[in-house]
Amino acid sequence: MPKKTKAQPRKIRELKAKDLDYTIGWKPTGVTTSDDIKPCHGIIGQQRAVDAIKTGLNVKSDGYNIFVTGLVGTGRTTTIKHLLEQLDHKNPDLLDICYVNNFKNEDCPCVLTFKAGDGRRFKKDMSYLINSVRKAVPKIFLSDDYKDKQSRITREFDNRQKELIRGFEDKLNEAGFVMVQVQSGMGVRNEIQPLIDEEPASLDKLEHLAREGKFPLPRLDELRRQWDRLRREFDVTSTESKKLTGKLEVALEKLDYSAIAPLVTDKVNLLKKRFPDDKVVAYLDGVQEALLSDLDRFREARPRRGEEEAPPFRKREPYEEFSINLVLDNGETESVPIVIEMSPSYKNLFGSLERVVDRFGYWRTDFTRIFSGSLLQASGGFLVMNAMDVLTEPGVWVHLKRAIRNNNVEITGYDPFFMMAGSGIKPEPIPLDVKVVLIGEPNIYHLLWQADEDFKKIFKIKAEFDSIMPFTKKNTMEYYRFTRRLIENERLLPFDLSGMQAVVSYGRRLGGRRDKLTTRFTAISDIIREASYRASQRKATRASRTDVLSAIGGRRTRVNLVEDKIQEMIDNDILMVSTKGGVVGQINGLSVYNLGEYSFGRPSRITVSTSMGKAGVINIEREADLSGPIHNKGVLVLSGYLRAMFAQDKPLVMSASISFEQSYAGVDGDSASSTEIYAILSSLAEIPIRQDLAVTGSVNQKGEIQPIGGVDEKIEGFYDVCVSRGLTGDQGVVIPHQNVPDLLLRSDIVDAITKGKFHIYPVKTINQGIELLTGVAAGRRLASGKFTKDSVMARVDERLHEMALALQNFGRSSSKNNNNE
């Protein structure tokens, strides 16, 4: 039988102050203050995103719009502005856009496009054309030549009219009849009557006399026949008279046309030569036809067609149908438009149709009340918007996709209550050439990519901003130059070298690792501003490291009320945490409380109770619906570790309940899985765990410790509790060895470690951790399958073996008793 060796605990390496020092020691040559440094003008630490944005901005094909993602404060909007300003914007090929009246269908206004500047000239020339015609035509109508021609035509037709009437009157006289006017209702009418005794008499009156025997019947019959013949001739004469009147009107219209048409045609043709575009020429043909088809408009001031429907409070512009609505004027634009829309509502983005109420209560509009939005104003250039704003504004996202996909924009107005909108128009879509840049969170990008097929086609460029960059001398110098730029732009106090180094140290802390710097320059800018303020409060001429640390402390104080309240409950033993002694099955875990703008760590008591049974590891948090999925996974992983270690030669007949004591808000994450294993091993081996140590770290099924997040906050949280209880010189934290490069601790903790009052132990395996926590060797598996004598693992294995035998014997005993009964 092989001889068993007694295990001895190994000494675990402890981190020294030199392992934790992250102060900036590099001093650029000749630099003592920020005044010795040139300000930066470029983008810091975002080369990947910059390259993607440049690709999107310069590729002119459809769909190469840009979606910029990344954390808030990483300079997304600033980078976009900077890169757009750097593009070659000179001599852009821009257009002017006009809406004009559609003379064939006024409800569908037409679009005219011009080169930049020509739209304004066309509008001015059209205004001049209409005004000149309005002034010239009435003068023609009042000229002697026109009046002579009009008089000759009128006299000629008057003579023909008189001759026609005179011939009919002669026939009446020969037959002894006259034409008289008789009252008919509210008016009068012409009637042919015979002369009896030199007086006209109606046939009805003669019939009455004939019935009384006072007028001979043969004479009455003769008068009737003559009256019928004359009536027919009168109708013929009336018809001929009307024809002459019509011919007179035609002749006068021809006179008007011959007098006015050359003037209008010459002026319109002049505009056609200046603006030879086919669509413009077609519009000018419509203008010419509309002017010449209604020359009466120039004779005198009279209500225009449709003007009687205008409301009394709205003054209708004269000749409004010939006006030009210049909705996009690039006449003075010297570079491509860059529009940053801060409020992308439907109206602001796509434009609007202004409506007015007529006197009958109906909402009406026309082409002169069409207004453009920022999407059209950015045509030929770039439009920058926040993705969340676009998605939350009613109706915007769907119409934006349609505009980008179809390369045109329809200004229709947003009518959520369309049943009450009244009369409306449908303007012709406007051609659109714009590059859209959306700025949003990564989760918005992924949501759109998964749920919206159109998104993949119209936003082909993803520019992802990183929140960290390497900590190098080059990037440190960029930090210094950024500090100088902010000081210069906002007229802050200059910083000495220690102040700038402290800013870089803060950037490392926000970056989360010693070899990284944060690119969230919004947070860095705030610290620079507040440090300058604190320096000015103490009447200093420069901000130093002291001011930066004071600013950082001030920011923490403003938001750590919850942290102070939890610490107060720990001090008052409301939240139970032990920092000395040893307890079986009890350990200090470490949790991070995330309040959004601020996160902090505090210890949590974790207890384990083990017994004989078949339930395995019982996660009390899960049973109470307080455990998240990642924590549940961690418990399953530690169960796998226990089976691998102790269930190779026997069944694992154990029930172990794990509880986060006084936890009522839920637990998630697997950073306590190693901690839970230590507590289970302690309970099974009946070896107390040091309460002056707190533990964090994930674990895999092989017993290897894995890195976790929030290591700085966790260490600082336990340190603050130990300081409040009193430092004993033995207290410390056990962390995964992979997290050592992440340590960027407060200076007071580094000082305590330097003085030996606090300790940090990096471990690689469960065995290292259990030895540190218990002071007993973990033990190793021997060739026999057993563990080294008196080790933690040996005691656990023996205890589990006893439980298996006890459960087996209990089962046999129960079965035997049942049989006896």
Side-chain angles (χ1 to χ4, degrees):
M1 184 174 181
K3 183 178 180 181
K4 292 186 179 179
T5 59
K6 187 173 181 179
Q8 298 294 328
R10 291 163 292 185
K11 184 173 179 61
I12 305 301
R13 183 178 77 91
E14 177 184 349
L15 295 181
K16 302 300 181 182
K18 65 179 182 179
D19 300 320
L20 302 172
D21 184 18
Y22 67 98
T23 57
I24 310 300
W26 178 63
K27 299 180 180 179
T29 304
V31 175
T32 57
T33 70
S34 57
D35 293 334
D36 301 326
I37 301 174
K38 293 182 179 180
C40 69
H41 298 288
I43 305 303
I44 304 174
Q46 302 292 355
Q47 193 58 46
R48 182 199 307 269
V50 169
D51 291 342
I53 293 172
K54 286 182 177 179
T55 300
L57 295 180
N58 290 286
V59 174
K60 305 303 180 183
S61 302
D62 290 344
Y64 279 83
N65 299 290
I66 305 168
F67 195 103
V68 180
T69 71
L71 296 180
V72 174
T74 53
R76 299 171 300 177
T77 304
T78 302
T79 300
I80 290 296
K81 292 179 180 178
H82 179 76
L83 293 178
L84 288 175
E85 291 170 356
Q86 287 185 335
L87 291 177
D88 183 12
H89 297 319
K90 301 302 181 183
N91 301 318
D93 186 15
L94 301 178
L95 298 175
D96 288 347
I97 307 293
C98 298
Y99 266 114
V100 296
N101 185 32
N102 184 344
F103 295 101
K104 296 180 180 179
N105 185 355
E106 292 186 353
D107 288 337
C108 298
C110 298
V111 171
L112 299 182
T113 59
F114 302 89
K115 292 182 179 179
D118 284 353
R120 185 183 299 179
R121 285 189 286 272
F122 181 74
K123 181 177 182 178
K124 182 178 178 181
D125 289 348
M126 273 297 300
S127 177
Y128 176 79
L129 182 150
I130 297 302
N131 289 332
S132 62
V133 170
R134 290 178 62 190
K135 293 177 181 179
V137 171
K139 292 180 180 180
I140 292 175
F141 287 150
L142 296 174
S143 67
D144 294 337
D145 181 61
Y146 175 82
K147 289 181 178 179
D148 290 341
K149 292 179 181 179
Q150 186 185 45
S151 297
R152 285 198 300 269
I153 294 173
T154 303
R155 284 196 301 271
E156 178 184 350
F157 278 90
D158 284 345
N159 292 335
R160 294 172 61 181
Q161 188 89 346
K162 290 177 181 178
E163 183 179 349
L164 180 65
I165 294 174
R166 190 182 300 114
F168 180 69
E169 288 179 344
D170 291 343
K171 293 179 180 179
L172 286 177
N173 293 333
E174 291 176 1
F177 282 79
V178 294
M179 182 72 69
V180 297
Q181 291 184 334
V182 296
Q183 188 74 28
S184 178
M186 298 296 294
V188 294
R189 59 182 176 85
N190 293 323
E191 184 175 315
I192 301 173
Q193 293 184 359
L195 287 173
I196 305 298
D197 298 330
E198 301 299 327
E199 292 291 335
S202 66
L203 292 180
D204 292 338
K205 181 179 179 181
L206 295 177
E207 288 179 358
H208 181 70
L209 293 174
R211 284 197 297 271
E212 293 179 351
K214 298 179 180 179
F215 192 82
L217 287 176
R219 175 64 175 161
L220 178 61
D221 293 339
E222 178 64 22
L223 290 175
R224 281 203 183 101
R225 287 192 295 270
Q226 290 180 346
W227 185 90
D228 291 339
R229 176 177 58 82
L230 292 174
R231 184 64 188 179
R232 288 192 296 270
E233 291 183 3
F234 174 72
D235 292 339
V236 173
T237 301
S238 297
T239 301
E240 291 297 325
S241 177
K242 291 178 181 179
K243 288 181 179 180
L244 286 175
T245 302
K247 290 178 181 180
L248 173 61
E249 292 179 355
V250 171
L252 292 176
E253 288 179 357
K254 288 182 178 180
L255 173 62
D256 292 347
Y257 188 86
S258 64
I260 306 304
L263 171 68
V264 174
T265 302
D266 288 345
K267 292 183 177 296
V268 170
N269 287 340
L270 182 61
L271 284 186
K272 289 181 180 179
K273 291 179 181 179
R274 293 179 184 174
F275 306 98
D277 181 79
D278 292 342
K279 201 167 183 181
V280 177
V281 170
Y283 168 72
L284 291 174
D285 288 337
V287 170
Q288 179 177 330
E289 181 180 350
L291 287 172
L292 295 177
S293 64
D294 187 15
L295 294 176
D296 287 343
R297 73 173 79 221
F298 302 105
R299 294 186 183 279
E300 58 183 350
R302 60 183 179 82
R304 300 294 313 285
R305 181 177 54 190
E307 203 166 80
E308 62 276 10
E309 296 183 3
F313 52 83
R314 172 190 157 205
K315 182 179 179 181
R316 188 180 180 91
E317 293 295 330
Y319 301 88
E320 195 173 51
E321 65 266 36
F322 302 107
S323 60
I324 305 298
N325 184 3
L326 184 59
V327 294
L328 180 62
D329 183 8
N330 284 314
E332 297 180 357
T333 305
E334 297 180 355
S335 60
V336 297
I338 300 172
V339 178
I340 300 177
E341 181 54 71
M342 305 303 294
S343 179
S345 63
Y346 189 95
K347 178 180 179 181
N348 291 345
L349 191 59
F350 299 102
S352 62
L353 294 176
E354 180 188 90
R355 290 185 171 90
V356 294
V357 182
D358 64 19
R359 63 180 181 179
F360 301 108
Y362 290 102
W363 289 93
R364 297 190 182 277
T365 186
D366 56 43
F367 73 97
T368 64
R369 288 163 178 80
I370 300 174
F371 299 94
S372 63
S374 53
L375 186 61
L376 184 58
Q377 292 165 8
S379 185
F382 306 92
L383 176 61
V384 182
M385 297 179 290
N386 182 277
M388 180 60 74
D389 293 340
V390 170
L391 293 172
T392 54
E393 286 287 349
V396 168
W397 175 243
V398 173
H399 288 83
L400 178 63
K401 290 192 301 177
R402 185 180 303 141
I404 296 174
R405 187 173 60 245
N406 299 334
N407 292 320
N408 63 46
V409 57
E410 298 183 41
I411 305 179
T412 57
Y414 180 61
D415 295 320
F417 306 106
F418 63 92
M419 294 180 63
M420 302 170 61
S423 174
I425 58 177
K426 189 180 187 304
E428 180 184 356
I430 300 175
L432 186 66
D433 178 20
V434 65
K435 185 80 68 174
V436 178
V437 180
L438 291 183
I439 301 174
E441 303 300 316
N443 59 331
I444 296 178
Y445 176 86
H446 295 306
L447 175 64
L448 292 173
W449 180 266
Q450 296 293 334
D452 194 331
E453 288 297 323
D454 292 333
F455 177 76
K456 304 174 185 178
K457 301 174 183 177
I458 60 178
F459 285 92
K460 296 182 179 180
I461 297 295
K462 177 186 180 184
E464 192 162 12
F465 276 64
D466 200 347
S467 60
I468 56 175
M469 63 181 180
F471 171 58
T472 62
K473 289 184 178 180
K474 178 183 177 181
N475 288 336
T476 300
M477 192 64 187
E478 291 295 329
Y479 255 67
Y480 293 167
R481 296 177 64 196
F482 174 81
T483 303
R484 171 61 191 278
R485 184 178 74 179
L486 188 66
I487 291 172
E488 192 175 87
N489 292 344
E490 301 189 10
R491 299 180 180 180
L492 306 177
L493 288 178
F495 277 52
D496 64 18
L497 183 59
S498 70
M500 292 189 293
Q501 290 174 336
V503 170
V504 176
S505 297
Y506 183 65
R508 293 177 73 184
R509 170 72 186 235
L510 294 183
R513 287 181 64 90
R514 294 188 192 178
D515 58 349
K516 299 294 182 182
L517 285 169
T518 185
T519 57
R520 298 177 62 186
F521 286 99
T522 299
I524 299 299
S525 299
D526 291 341
I527 286 298
I528 295 173
R529 296 184 185 104
E530 294 178 27
S532 174
Y533 163 74
R534 292 180 181 271
S536 66
Q537 289 296 102
R538 61 183 184 88
K539 309 301 182 183
T541 57
R542 294 186 180 92
S544 65
R545 176 183 179 85
T546 301
D547 299 308
V548 175
L549 295 180
S550 176
I552 295 171
R555 288 180 64 84
R556 178 186 177 189
T557 303
R558 291 198 297 268
V559 295
N560 73 338
L561 177 62
V562 175
E563 181 182 21
D564 289 345
K565 293 298 183 182
I566 292 177
Q567 181 61 49
E568 183 179 327
M569 288 191 287
I570 293 175
D571 294 341
N572 294 331
D573 288 331
I574 298 174
L575 291 179
M576 301 168 63
V577 176
S578 299
T579 57
K580 60 183 178 180
V583 180
V584 173
Q586 178 177 299
I587 192 169
N588 289 322
L590 292 171
S591 303
V592 174
Y593 296 79
N594 192 341
L595 305 180
E597 61 180 344
Y598 179 68
S599 59
F600 62 93
R602 280 296 180 270
S604 299
R605 174 175 290 181
I606 299 175
T607 60
V608 171
S609 176
T610 56
S611 66
M612 180 178 65
K614 297 182 179 180
V617 178
I618 302 171
N619 180 3
I620 292 179
E621 313 303 317
R622 179 183 178 183
E623 299 300 320
D625 291 331
L626 293 175
S627 177
I630 299 177
H631 181 250
N632 292 338
K633 177 185 176 181
V635 173
L636 295 176
V637 169
L638 72 86
S639 300
Y641 167 78
L642 294 174
R643 288 192 295 270
M645 288 293 294
F646 305 111
Q648 301 303 309
D649 57 355
K650 58 186 173 298
L652 192 64
V653 288
M654 170 200 71
S655 294
S657 58
I658 304 173
S659 174
F660 279 71
E661 303 296 350
Q662 296 182 289
S663 173
Y664 309 107
V667 176
D668 202 6
D670 63 350
S671 64
S673 55
S674 66
T675 311
E676 293 164 340
I677 287 180
Y678 297 141
I680 291 174
L681 296 178
S682 169
S683 178
L684 291 171
E686 297 183 345
I687 301 175
I689 288 179
R690 293 174 57 182
Q691 300 299 295
D692 54 8
L693 294 178
V695 183
T696 185
S698 174
V699 70
N700 61 27
Q701 294 188 106
K702 302 295 184 181
E704 299 169 329
I705 303 299
Q706 300 174 147
I708 45 83
V711 64
D712 290 327
E713 289 83 355
K714 291 177 179 179
I715 294 173
E716 291 169 355
F718 187 65
Y719 174 80
D720 290 340
V721 172
C722 292
V723 169
S724 179
R725 296 283 178 87
L727 292 175
T728 63
D730 296 324
Q731 295 147 333
V733 177
V734 180
I735 66 170
H737 71 98
Q738 301 98 323
N739 284 117
V740 173
D742 301 336
L743 294 178
L744 297 155
L745 299 172
R746 299 196 314 255
S747 58
D748 57 332
I749 299 179
V750 176
D751 291 341
I753 292 173
T754 302
K755 296 175 182 178
K757 295 183 177 180
F758 197 73
H759 311 274
I760 297 178
Y761 303 98
V763 297
K764 296 182 178 180
T765 63
I766 289 294
N767 284 8
Q768 290 181 349
I770 196 65
E771 288 181 356
L772 182 63
L773 290 166
T774 62
V776 179
R780 60 184 178 85
R781 191 182 295 277
L782 303 175
S784 63
K786 301 296 183 181
F787 293 92
T788 49
K789 186 178 180 181
D790 295 331
S791 66
V792 175
M793 299 302 178
R795 297 185 187 184
V796 172
D797 190 58
E798 291 172 2
R799 176 62 178 152
L800 291 174
H801 186 74
E802 293 172 0
M803 287 182 177
L805 292 176
L807 184 63
Q808 183 181 19
N809 294 332
F810 178 79
R812 290 175 179 174
S813 175
S814 297
S815 176
K816 183 177 180 180
N817 291 336
N818 290 334
N819 290 335
N820 291 336
E821 290 176 1

